[in-house]
Amino acid sequence: MMLAESNQKLLHAFFQDALNAHNLHLIASYVSPDFIFYPRVAGFPNTIEGFQQMMMVMFIQFPDLTYTPDRVEVRGSRVIVDWTARASHPGGVIGRKGMLIQIGRKLAWNGATTVHIRDGKIEALWIDQDDGSLREQLDQLPDITCEN
């Protein structure tokens, strides 16, 4: 198998089997021991463990988060995946009798992940996503007030 094809398959499996399946433990099997990710996110080290912690927070915030690759470009040991993320924000307010009223909304935003692969493992990962679009969609969640 050619290197480019092998690297593309690795990224496809990483997105499908680890990220889209929300399998935090499987992430470590795709990355090298000295893995780092960018940009640095406050509160998370840019290590394997930090990436797993960051993704855990994302999966809690967006329980049905999935990434759909829109375009994959392989440049030797570097693979670039343009993607669309889709998720529901569960939202919710406490209504009468303490019941949670779901006010979630479907969200979608674009981004790109660039990885550097060495010896069949992801050595470095850069995420560039449209945070502005995501924030704008979250700001549009309905403002509901309920009497208890």
Side-chain angles (χ1 to χ4, degrees):
M1 181 183 313
M2 294 179 46
L3 180 63
E5 184 181 337
S6 175
N7 288 347
Q8 185 170 354
K9 281 183 135 183
L10 174 71
L11 255 290
H12 176 77
F14 176 71
F15 270 85
Q16 292 306 314
D17 301 337
L19 299 183
N20 286 346
H22 297 194
N23 190 335
L24 296 170
H25 300 293
L26 197 56
I27 290 171
S29 69
Y30 288 99
V31 301
S32 67
D34 55 348
F35 169 83
I36 55 175
F37 74 94
Y38 300 99
R40 293 196 63 116
V41 178
F44 300 101
N46 66 338
T47 61
I48 297 168
E49 293 80 11
F51 184 74
Q52 288 169 316
Q53 292 166 9
M54 181 188 72
M55 292 310 300
M56 180 176 64
V57 169
M58 291 292 290
F59 298 152
I60 290 169
Q61 288 178 332
F62 307 111
D64 60 349
L65 174 63
T66 59
Y67 297 93
T68 302
D70 299 319
R71 183 183 71 86
V72 178
E73 182 180 339
V74 181
R75 296 180 187 169
S77 63
R78 190 163 294 225
V79 181
I80 303 160
V81 179
D82 292 333
W83 46 258
T84 300
R86 289 179 179 79
S88 299
H89 188 275
V93 295
I94 303 298
R96 294 177 190 208
K97 300 181 183 175
M99 296 180 64
L100 183 67
I101 300 168
Q102 294 292 328
I103 57 169
R105 168 175 289 175
K106 297 285 185 190
L107 307 170
W109 66 99
N110 296 314
T113 297
T114 302
V115 301
H116 181 264
I117 298 171
R118 181 175 43 103
D119 299 328
K121 299 283 186 177
I122 300 169
E123 181 177 52
L125 180 146
W126 293 263
I127 301 168
D128 181 21
Q129 67 178 13
D130 188 354
D131 290 326
S133 171
L134 180 57
R135 268 194 234 80
E136 184 177 298
Q137 292 174 72
L138 289 171
D139 286 345
Q140 293 175 5
L141 287 175
D143 183 17
I144 296 178
T145 55
C146 294
E147 293 179 24
N148 281 327

